[in-house]
């Protein structure tokens, strides 16, 4: 029977995380699994707790949202340790990409019985962050600014905070000159953002890269070119379905390594946590992380 270590940050959505873990924990213990809980006081501490648990051969449960999942998953990347997710954040975008259930009984079934599957992770390097590994995506431009506004919102929570942050970011955005290098080929344009996506979802259930897979060894690079603001807001609404990729202002490439540069110091983000300014490089690490998730019948893939 599996032995689990749940890592929880009580200062980041603590009540939600505790509630999400409580229901799953009871079911895991009733099934005979071992479960211990570690409380972190920062994301760096959470990474250290995860590494220690992984070294002991325990399945590490990241309890929280995409920041927690990305931080812990990044810490376990390349170690051979196994990650399980207990979604309890605002977005839970990587869990959504894995099609993980949120209902406690169904999630406990996955954690107890699913076979670990290798998924890709993303190595992020910049002048500020020598090397950080995340799970979902790296995004540079108006969406990173929107995420910053959402994280700093006091009155709004969840998707509402991101929508408000996006409106504020777009209203004050001026077109930026990008230089994006994908596997050595350079692409220049003026626009709003670049997203190097491992997972198709980001920004609270927005399907920014519909064709992205977490196990194909590639990043989907979504570039949104300059457009009138009214058109950009329409495009933002289309992110809920992925229909935006059919607009002429959107270009999608695929590659293993992406460098994003700009003609000014625009912000970038990664999994909702890492915040700095470009230039930044994202490199896929194929099959670097073992994660507990369902397998689609006939594909052998998450």
């Amino acid at each position: 029977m599996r032995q689990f270590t749940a890592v929880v940050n009580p200062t980041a959505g603590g009540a939600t995380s505790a509630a999400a873990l409580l229901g799953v924990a009871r079911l895991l213990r009733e099934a005979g699994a071992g479960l211990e809980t570690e409380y972190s006081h920062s994301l760096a501490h959470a990474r250290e707790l995860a590494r220690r648990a992984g070294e002991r051969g325990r399945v590490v449960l990241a309890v929280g949202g995409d920041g927690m999942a990305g931080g812990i998953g990044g810490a376990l990347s390349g170690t051979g340790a196994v990650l399980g997710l207990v979604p309890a954040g605002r977005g839970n975008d990587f869990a959504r990409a894995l099609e993980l259930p949120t209902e406690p009984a169904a999630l406990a079934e996955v954690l107890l019985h699913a076979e670990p599957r290798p998924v890709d992770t993303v190595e992020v390097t910049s002048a500020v962050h020598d090397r950080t590994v995340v799970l979902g995506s790296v995004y540079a431009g108006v969406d990173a600014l929107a995420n910053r506004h959402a994280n700093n919102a006091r009155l709004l929570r969840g998707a509402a905070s991101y929508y408000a942050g996006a409106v504020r970011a777009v209203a004050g955005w001026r077109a930026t000159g990008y230089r994006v290098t994908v596997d050595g080929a350079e692409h220049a344009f003026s626009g709003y953002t670049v997203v190097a996506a491992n997972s198709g979802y980001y920004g609270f259930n927005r399907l920014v890269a519909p064709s992205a897979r977490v196990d194909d060894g590639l990043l989907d690079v979504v570039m949104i070119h300059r457009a009138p603001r009214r058109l950009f807001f329409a495009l933002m609404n289309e992110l809920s379905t992925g229909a935006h990729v059919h607009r002429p202002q959107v270009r999608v490439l695929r590659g293993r390594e992406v460098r994003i540069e700009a003609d000014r110091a625009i912000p970038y983000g990664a999994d909702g946590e890492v915040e700095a300014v470009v230039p930044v490089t994202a490199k896929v690490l194929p099959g670097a992380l073992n994660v507990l998730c369902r397998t689609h019948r006939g594909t052998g893939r998450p």
Side-chain angles (χ1 to χ4, degrees):
M1 187 57 67
R2 284 175 175 154
Q3 302 296 306
F4 296 92
T5 295
V7 181
V8 185
N9 184 350
T11 64
T16 303
S17 296
L21 178 60
L22 191 62
V24 175
R26 178 179 59 82
L27 294 168
L28 295 180
R29 289 185 173 121
E30 287 178 353
L35 175 65
E36 60 185 27
T37 303
E38 296 278 7
Y39 293 97
S40 65
H41 51 70
S42 67
L43 193 58
H45 187 215
R47 293 188 183 104
E48 181 59 29
L49 292 172
R51 279 190 288 262
R52 291 177 188 172
E55 289 169 357
R56 294 162 51 209
R58 302 182 70 88
V59 176
V60 182
L61 300 182
V63 185
D66 289 304
M68 198 68 163
I72 290 178
L76 299 180
S77 176
T79 69
V82 178
L83 173 71
L85 299 180
V86 180
R90 292 180 298 179
N92 303 318
D93 291 315
F94 196 75
R96 184 172 289 106
L98 296 178
E99 299 184 5
L100 284 176
T102 56
E103 194 275 324
L107 180 58
E109 182 72 15
V110 171
L111 297 176
L112 287 166
H113 301 298
E115 289 297 318
R117 296 289 173 178
V119 300
D120 306 335
T121 59
V122 185
E123 180 184 78
V124 185
T125 55
S126 70
V128 176
H129 296 90
D130 291 336
R131 182 182 184 273
T132 303
V133 179
V134 299
L135 300 184
S137 61
V138 178
Y139 41 92
V142 71
D143 41 10
L145 185 58
N147 190 72
R148 180 183 295 173
H149 291 327
N151 286 342
N152 293 332
R154 295 182 178 180
L155 300 178
L156 299 175
R157 293 291 182 267
S161 67
Y162 190 85
Y163 284 123
V167 170
R168 180 181 172 189
V170 172
W173 189 259
R174 58 185 174 86
T176 296
Y178 285 94
R179 187 167 66 253
V180 182
T181 305
V182 182
D183 291 346
E186 187 174 296
H187 309 270
F189 71 99
S190 177
Y192 282 92
T193 193
V194 179
V195 182
N198 183 35
S199 161
Y201 294 94
Y202 88 146
F204 307 106
N205 195 25
R206 294 182 169 189
L207 189 55
V208 66
S211 64
R213 294 189 63 104
V214 298
D215 62 350
D216 61 359
L218 294 170
L219 299 172
D220 279 36
V221 186
V222 181
M223 298 176 284
I224 300 181
H225 291 211
R226 189 171 187 170
R229 280 189 173 84
R230 58 176 178 77
L231 179 60
F232 186 77
F233 280 116
L235 190 150
M236 281 179 57
N237 289 330
E238 293 173 351
L239 285 170
S240 61
T241 63
H244 63 287
V245 298
H246 302 297
R247 287 191 177 270
Q249 294 84 7
V250 179
R251 186 180 184 190
V252 182
L253 302 173
R254 309 187 83 201
R256 294 174 174 82
E257 183 170 325
V258 183
R259 182 167 176 81
I260 305 171
E261 300 171 277
D263 61 2
R264 60 190 178 97
I266 62 168
Y268 80 84
D271 285 0
E273 291 293 331
V274 177
E275 289 193 359
V277 296
V278 297
V280 61
T281 300
K283 178 181 179 182
V284 70
L285 304 177
L289 178 65
N290 296 314
V291 64
L292 297 176
C293 62
R294 291 169 170 167
T295 301
H296 292 312
R297 183 174 299 173
T299 67
R301 293 180 171 185

